[in-house]
Amino acid sequence: MASLVDAVTRSRVWRSFFRHGFPDNPLDRSLVMTTNIFFHLHPVKVNLKSLKVTYSFGLGVITVFLFVTLAITGTLLMFYYVPSVERSYGDIVILQTQVPFGQLFRNLHRWGAHLMVLAAVLHMARVFYTGAYKPPREFNWGVGVVLLILTLGASFTGYLLPWDQLSFWAITVGTSIASYEPLMGATIKKILLGGPEVGQDALTRFYALHIMVIPAFLALLIALHIWRVRKDGGLAANET
Ligand code: HEM
C-alpha cells in the first residue's frame, strides 16, 4: 500500500496537480499549505491554543461573513431601488409588499448591518483583551480602526436610503452634529449633503458612498487585514 501511494505521488500526473508528495511528513505538510491557493492564507504551523473557539470566538471571520452577506443582499436590493426623492420611499414599500422575498432580503440587509457593527466592536474588544494589538500587530490594529470607521460609515449612509421620516431626521441631526466639528465642520456637512439641507443631492451622495465607495474600501482593507494576520504569524495566541 505504502509503495502504491509512493508511486502515485511521484507520478507526473500527480506532480502536475500537486507540487508535493503525500503529506505524511513535516516537509510535505508545509508544502500542502504553501502551494495551495486557499490553504496558503493560513500559516504553515499554528498553536492549538489559537484554534480554540474561546480564543477569538471567530468574531473576525463572522464580521467577514456578514460583510459578504450584506454585499449580496445589497446587490439584490439595488434591482428595485432608485435613489430619488420621488421614488425611494415607494420603492421600499413595493419591495416589502410586492417583490417576492423582498421583505426577507431587506430584513437580512438591515439586521446584517446591525450585527456587523456589533461583531466588529466585539472583535475589537477581543483583540484588546488578548493583547493582540501589541507589536508586530500594531499596524493591523490601525487597519482595524479604519475598518470600524468604514463599517459605521456604511450604516450611517444606508440609513438615509429608505427616505422615510426616520431617515430624513436622523441624517439631519447626524450631519448637524458633524457641522460642530472645529475648523472643518461646515465643509464636512456641505460635502456630505451637497447643499444646505437633506435633499436629492444628499441622497445621491449617500447612495454613491453606500453602494460603491465604502464597500470598495472595506473589501480592499479586509483583504489587507487578513493578509496581515497571515504575515504576522497567525493569531497572537501562537506566541504564548
Ligand atoms: C470590518 C471589520 C473587521 C473585519 C472584517 C476583521 C477581520 C478579521 C479576521 C478575519 C481576523 C482573524 C481571525 C479572528 O480574529 O477572528 C482578524 C484579526 C485581527 N483584527 Fe480584525 N477585523 C475587523 C475589525 C477590526 C478592528 C475594529 C480591530 C481593532 C481596532 C481589528 C484588529 C485585528 C487584529 C490586531 C487582529 C489580529 C488578532 C490576533 O492576532 O489575535 N480588526 N480580523
Side-chain angles (χ1 to χ4, degrees), residues 55-56 58-61 63-64 116 120 123-124 126-127 130 132-133 137 140-141 144-145 147-148 151 218 222 225-226 229 234-236:
Y55 177 72
S56 71
L59 286 163
V61 177
T63 317
V64 176
M116 185 173 167
H123 167 63
M124 185 179 184
R126 187 292 285 177
V127 168
T130 54
Y133 54 83
R137 295 179 176 76
N140 220 11
W141 173 267
V145 171
L147 279 173
L148 186 66
T151 306
L218 267 173
I222 287 175
H225 194 60
I226 294 173
V229 171
L235 294 190

Side-chain angles (χ1 to χ4, degrees), residues 22 24-25 46 77-78 83 129 148 172 201 211 217 219:
F22 193 72
D24 56 358
N25 57 75
V46 290
L77 295 178
M78 281 170 67
Y129 177 69
L148 186 66
T172 303
D201 292 334
I211 64 134
F217 277 109

Side-chain angles (χ1 to χ4, degrees), residues 71-83 95 207 211-212:
I72 295 169
T73 51
T75 308
L76 291 171
L77 295 178
M78 281 170 67
F79 280 81
Y80 287 94
Y81 174 85
V82 176
L95 191 92
Y207 183 68
I211 64 134
M212 198 57 203

